[in-house]
Amino acid sequence: MPMIAALQRAMNDQIQKEFSANYLYLAMSAWFEERNFEGFAKWMRLQADEERTHAMRIYDFVLDRGGKVILEGIPEPAAKWKTALEVFDAARKHEQMVSASINGLYSRALSEKDYATQVMLQWFITEQVEEEKTSTALAERLRLVGDSATGLIILDRQFGERTRAT
Ligand SMILES: [Fe+2]
Ligand SMILES: [Fe+2]
């Protein structure tokens, strides 16, 4: 059973949002790299990779359902952060926005009685709990260290221990 047109359009919008997140985290990674925070930069680059896998998950689903993938333009990410904390606060805000968007998709799939899309989106709903939890924890850790150079160096090393894009 194909997806109805409005849902397919919303799924394509979500693909665009995941690629926008990929772009945003890449901009954040570059921001840290420029300031010699290699650990934060690595963390953000892995997060960018993860966002691409999110986009591709929906991309594959749309095609599996016999739908049409339409790739929309990706806006230039606003990269005007002043501190590491501002970057992670922006990441947290972004994840909250993504959660709202996934929830909106789910309620649409519910009202259309599109069960396959509901099941697919359940993975994303669980994932967003993780994303919000992680981005909040990291932002709060940065808030704690404040302007302490030592604190930032320790956190940079700690964040750099991330090895997987999941
Ligand atoms: Fe995502
Ligand atoms: Fe994740």
Side-chain angles (χ1 to χ4, degrees), residues 60-156:
D60 285 334
F61 180 79
V62 170
L63 292 175
D64 287 349
R65 293 290 301 280
K68 195 170 163 52
V69 167
I70 298 158
L71 295 177
E72 303 165 9
I74 304 167
E76 183 183 330
K80 298 213 166 60
W81 312 288
K82 280 182 225 73
T83 63
L85 174 59
E86 272 185 29
V87 179
F88 274 88
D89 269 337
R92 175 190 3 206
K93 240 176 77 193
H94 185 82
E95 288 305 331
Q96 288 168 344
M97 191 270 283
V98 172
S99 299
S101 162
I102 296 287
N103 290 346
L105 269 178
Y106 192 83
S107 65
R108 209 152 184 177
L110 264 184
S111 60
E112 299 298 343
K113 295 189 164 55
D114 185 329
Y115 302 112
T117 302
Q118 288 169 37
V119 171
M120 198 280 294
L121 287 171
Q122 276 162 13
W123 182 90
F124 278 91
I125 292 169
T126 308
E127 171 63 17
Q128 281 313 117
V129 173
E130 184 224 278
E131 297 290 35
E132 285 195 48
K133 178 187 167 196
T134 309
S135 56
T136 301
L138 298 184
E140 290 313 314
R141 228 176 282 167
L142 275 163
R143 202 180 313 281
L144 253 150
V145 303
D147 293 334
S148 155
T150 315
L152 283 169
I153 287 167
I154 291 169
L155 282 188
D156 182 57

Side-chain angles (χ1 to χ4, degrees), residues 23-77:
Y23 229 46
L24 174 68
Y25 289 128
L26 215 45
M28 290 173 168
S29 183
W31 189 93
F32 281 122
E33 193 87 46
E34 284 157 18
R35 285 155 185 83
N36 299 306
F37 285 118
E38 285 173 11
F40 295 132
K42 182 184 170 198
W43 193 96
M44 283 296 179
R45 189 183 285 226
L46 286 168
Q47 189 61 27
D49 290 347
E50 180 176 335
E51 294 304 338
R52 188 181 170 281
T53 69
H54 292 171
M56 293 312 290
R57 201 179 255 264
I58 304 168
Y59 171 106
D60 285 334
F61 180 79
V62 170
L63 292 175
D64 287 349
R65 293 290 301 280
K68 195 170 163 52
V69 167
I70 298 158
L71 295 177
E72 303 165 9
I74 304 167
E76 183 183 330

